[in-house]
Amino acid sequence: MSTSLPTKSVSVKQGAIDWETLSFRVLIALGAAIAMLFLTLPTIVVLVASFSSGETLKFPPPGFSLRWYASLINFPEIHEAAWNSFLLASLTTLVCVTLGVAVSLPLTRSRSRWIQAVDALVMSPLVLPGLAVGLALLLFFNLIGWQLSLTTLMISHVVICAPYVVRTTAASLSQIGGSLSEASTSLGANPFYTFWHVTFPLAQRGIIAGAFITFLTSFDNLTVSLFLSDARTAVLPIRMWSMIENNLDVRTAAISGVLIIITAILMILMERFAGLSQFVMKK
Amino acid sequence: MSSTAGLKSRIPSLFALREWQLTLPLALFLGLFYLAPLLLMAVVSVSQQGVSGISFASYVQFLSDPTNLKILFDTIWMGTQVTLLCLLIGYPLAYVYSRANAGWQKVLTFLILLPLLTSAVVRTFAWIVILGREGIVNSALLGLGLAENPIRLLFTHQGVVIALAQVQLPMMVLPLVSAMTRVDLNLEYASASLGAGAWQTFRKIALPLSLPGITAGCLLTYALSVSSFVTPSIIGGSSILYMPTFIYQQAMVLVNWPLAAAVSIILLITVLTIVIAFNSLDRVSRRYQ
């Protein structure tokens, strides 16, 4: 793919200024530039603000220091919340990968009504309000008498995260096609052998990309967790949310800074090992 | 392994059974922890504390109060504005992406995915730093002498729309990119070499062919905007209420579960209506291809 626009050659031939081409290209370039600035500005602003030496959140900051990052070391509530979030996201990812990969296998091969219904069911939490799902689960656990715990929190996260693993795994399975696993089974390998030695290694990149998105989505989720966590299972997004609501602590900027840096590093690693963008940018 | 050769004819049917069974664990899980709770919520929404039988009191209570109707209207209006804003600036970005070389695509991918993968709380927090009294916008306006006093951007409807548009922009751009990269650019070269101008080529070729991306992007952006909680609750503060914030208050602060459930059902119906509308639009737009 080249950067040249289709009308370039025409405008050169005409000699005079081609206002139509110019206006089109200027408008597109302007829109894209605004979008890029809009997307990146908040990240940059938070990163800069987190290195502030001032007492309050001011932009631009009066000077630079690492004092707010240092202050996170003695902040046990945040350590606990971060640990809870990490544990929760890891468990959610494990369950989502196990259940999701199983579903994506028949999804790419079968066109039966049952499979299509399951597909619609798995995907629907992507567009339904997370808050409604959270409230519904709270009412449900209350009815059946389950105490809120990390388990109930994990169950709610699996519901909303399952679509990601299913989508990315199905995407990489459909790229492979079914002929290799068919060859394996027709040569006498049983389905489990075929899965472990043929299908799984080939679909690995999709599974890893899905697991990564699931982990981040679960780690970041607030709306569902809001209904299903109590003081013991307070997760990081909820702690940060109440910190922001109550007073504008510069420590929030430092936590945000840590999260942005970790996310960026993980993203680069994922791009290297799983080709993450391949699963997100193109269907 | 000659013994398995005789089984060969049985393998396809055996496999069909296995394949079908593989979907069972997640299907059962979602039936129990997703469908059943949603059904229960529908039941709770038509119940009344201390009274047996079906009662639509909660729905009537919500829909007959003008203040509550304004919350519903504000939410739908906010979702529409965010979606239009995202389309307006997301479309050029996706257009540039689909025509950029591999190197630029890498850079753009990182720019689009990093905010998407960063926590929504962090992104919302960034907008407080930008829109606040001592924020970047106000510092700039005061510094340039364009304003004498800091202007109020936080706790306004416009503030919520701007911040939410940034949070949801990747959800608009991704489907657009996926639709546009599939379009054969030769169609545009053909149009240009036959004498069509840039705008005409865009209107007759690029725009119709990107319609599936537009409908998918608008659907996602709209559904996620009207149901988002973090950004509207923080940027809107307590002065402007939207449906999700209202549900949260009713359920967790006032512990009025029937009303919270009824409002959740109304929000669900609002989202489902738009999903169905966009899906039928999508079916129409695919006839172009």
Side-chain angles (χ1 to χ4, degrees):
Chain A
M1 256 180 245
S2 75
T3 43
S4 65
L5 286 172
T7 40
K8 202 173 185 177
S9 56
V10 179
S11 67
V12 172
K13 272 179 217 151
Q14 282 173 345
I17 299 170
D18 180 353
W19 287 109
E20 204 190 329
T21 309
L22 196 69
S23 66
F24 180 75
R25 299 185 80 179
V26 164
L27 224 62
I28 287 285
L30 196 70
I34 292 172
M36 280 186 252
L37 183 73
F38 198 50
L39 276 172
T40 40
L41 186 71
T43 313
I44 294 166
V45 164
V46 166
L47 276 178
V48 172
S50 69
F51 291 105
S52 170
S53 61
E55 288 295 325
T56 57
L57 261 179
K58 215 175 180 175
F59 202 92
F64 294 98
S65 78
L66 284 170
R67 60 183 286 203
W68 298 109
Y69 284 91
S71 75
L72 290 185
I73 295 165
N74 297 311
F75 199 174
E77 290 98 328
I78 284 300
H79 298 175
E80 200 193 345
W83 172 246
N84 277 338
S85 282
F86 178 78
L87 207 62
L88 174 64
S90 309
L91 283 172
T92 303
T93 308
L94 203 68
V95 177
C96 279
V97 168
T98 316
L99 298 180
V101 170
V103 168
S104 59
L105 288 173
L107 204 64
T108 39
R109 282 175 239 167
S110 171
R111 285 268 167 273
S112 79
R113 278 185 180 276
W114 162 259
I115 299 287
Q116 282 184 342
V118 171
D119 185 34
L121 175 70
V122 175
M123 289 304 145
S124 66
L126 276 187
V127 287
L128 288 193
L131 209 79
V133 177
L135 176 64
L137 275 161
L138 174 68
L139 297 173
F140 181 74
F141 289 135
N142 196 54
L143 180 82
I144 61 172
W146 282 15
Q147 290 284 319
L148 293 185
S149 65
L150 201 64
T151 316
T152 53
L153 204 52
M154 185 208 72
I155 289 171
S156 68
H157 279 212
V158 171
V159 170
I160 51 160
C161 293
Y164 302 111
V165 177
V166 177
R167 261 291 157 269
T168 55
T169 312
S172 65
L173 281 176
S174 63
Q175 278 169 12
I176 307 160
S179 47
L180 284 171
S181 54
E182 273 163 34
S184 165
T185 31
S186 65
L187 288 170
N190 70 41
F192 285 104
Y193 187 91
T194 303
F195 176 75
W196 276 116
H197 295 273
V198 180
T199 317
F200 184 73
L202 287 169
Q204 213 175 23
R205 284 152 63 91
I207 298 171
I208 294 172
F212 172 66
I213 299 171
T214 299
F215 184 89
L216 285 184
T217 309
S218 170
F219 196 88
D220 167 41
N221 182 278
L222 183 123
T223 42
V224 174
S225 311
L226 211 50
F227 291 94
L228 296 160
S229 70
D230 51 23
R232 279 177 307 117
T233 53
V235 284
L236 192 59
I238 294 185
R239 274 259 190 263
M240 285 185 72
W241 177 66
S242 48
M243 273 175 83
I244 294 169
E245 285 240 296
N246 294 332
N247 57 343
L248 272 181
D249 200 317
V250 191
R251 286 185 298 182
T252 329
I255 304 168
S256 301
V258 172
L259 288 179
I260 291 170
I261 293 162
I262 293 176
T263 310
I265 293 171
L266 281 178
M267 240 186 87
I268 293 165
L269 285 177
M270 280 294 136
E271 189 58 47
R272 272 278 153 86
F273 295 117
L276 176 72
S277 59
Q278 194 190 326
F279 295 97
V280 189
M281 304 304 283
K282 287 155 203 164
K283 267 186 192 165
Chain B
M1 294 258 176
S2 59
S3 63
T4 50
L7 290 172
K8 229 180 207 173
S9 59
R10 275 175 57 194
I11 285 172
S13 65
L14 202 79
F15 232 73
L17 190 70
R18 279 209 179 279
E19 301 255 287
W20 169 83
Q21 282 172 334
L22 282 173
T23 62
L24 276 182
L26 188 58
L28 289 177
F29 183 93
L30 290 178
L32 184 62
F33 294 117
Y34 176 59
L35 290 184
L38 284 178
L39 210 68
L40 175 69
M41 188 170 72
V43 172
V44 170
S45 77
V46 291
S47 70
Q48 215 179 353
Q49 272 147 351
V51 184
S52 64
I54 291 175
S55 143
F56 287 94
S58 300
Y59 289 90
V60 174
Q61 188 192 339
F62 182 80
L63 294 172
S64 62
D65 186 342
T67 337
N68 294 343
L69 281 180
K70 192 177 177 303
I71 295 173
L72 179 60
F73 174 78
D74 278 351
T75 309
I76 293 170
W77 182 226
M78 179 264 285
T80 314
Q81 284 178 303
V82 170
T83 308
L84 289 178
L85 187 58
C86 283
L87 184 62
L88 196 70
I89 59 172
Y91 196 92
L93 180 61
Y95 188 92
V96 167
Y97 182 98
S98 65
R99 282 150 180 84
N101 59 31
W104 266 105
Q105 282 194 341
K106 271 208 177 102
V107 175
L108 289 176
T109 302
F110 191 78
L111 288 186
I112 296 164
L113 291 188
L114 181 65
L116 179 72
L117 297 171
T118 326
S119 159
V121 182
V122 171
R123 282 185 280 168
T124 302
F125 172 70
W127 281 100
I128 296 184
V129 184
I130 296 170
L131 300 173
R133 271 184 73 88
E134 297 191 312
I136 185 168
V137 174
N138 270 323
S139 307
L141 287 177
L142 294 175
L144 293 169
L146 290 170
E148 289 187 2
N149 295 307
I151 49 170
R152 201 177 144 91
L153 296 160
L154 276 184
F155 313 125
T156 62
H157 180 82
Q158 287 72 23
V160 174
V161 171
I162 293 171
L164 200 54
Q166 192 261 338
V167 172
Q168 304 296 357
L169 188 57
M171 297 317 253
M172 174 65 84
V173 175
L174 292 180
L176 282 174
V177 162
S178 132
M180 283 181 198
T181 45
R182 252 180 273 160
V183 172
D184 186 357
L185 285 181
N186 284 327
L187 290 170
E188 290 182 17
Y189 299 135
S191 162
S193 64
L194 288 169
W199 282 104
Q200 202 182 0
T201 300
F202 174 72
R203 211 174 56 242
K204 297 237 163 117
I205 311 280
L207 189 64
L209 288 173
S210 64
L211 271 180
I214 296 178
T215 49
C218 288
L219 164 71
L220 271 178
T221 315
Y222 187 88
L224 293 172
S225 302
V226 296
S227 32
S228 70
F229 173 79
V230 181
T231 312
S233 79
I234 294 175
I235 306 287
S238 50
S239 49
I240 315 163
L241 277 187
Y242 297 96
M243 297 280 276
T245 330
F246 185 82
I247 295 169
Y248 173 74
Q249 286 186 353
Q250 291 300 326
M252 304 306 274
V253 184
L254 304 167
V255 205
N256 187 349
W257 285 359
L259 185 60
V263 180
S264 298
I265 297 285
I266 295 172
L267 181 62
L268 272 176
I269 293 170
T270 313
V271 171
L272 282 180
T273 313
I274 208 80
V275 169
I276 292 164
F278 273 112
N279 271 338
S280 43
L281 241 175
D282 186 49
R283 222 162 290 144
V284 175
S285 75
R286 273 179 206 278
R287 285 196 203 133
Y288 276 100
Q289 305 201 309

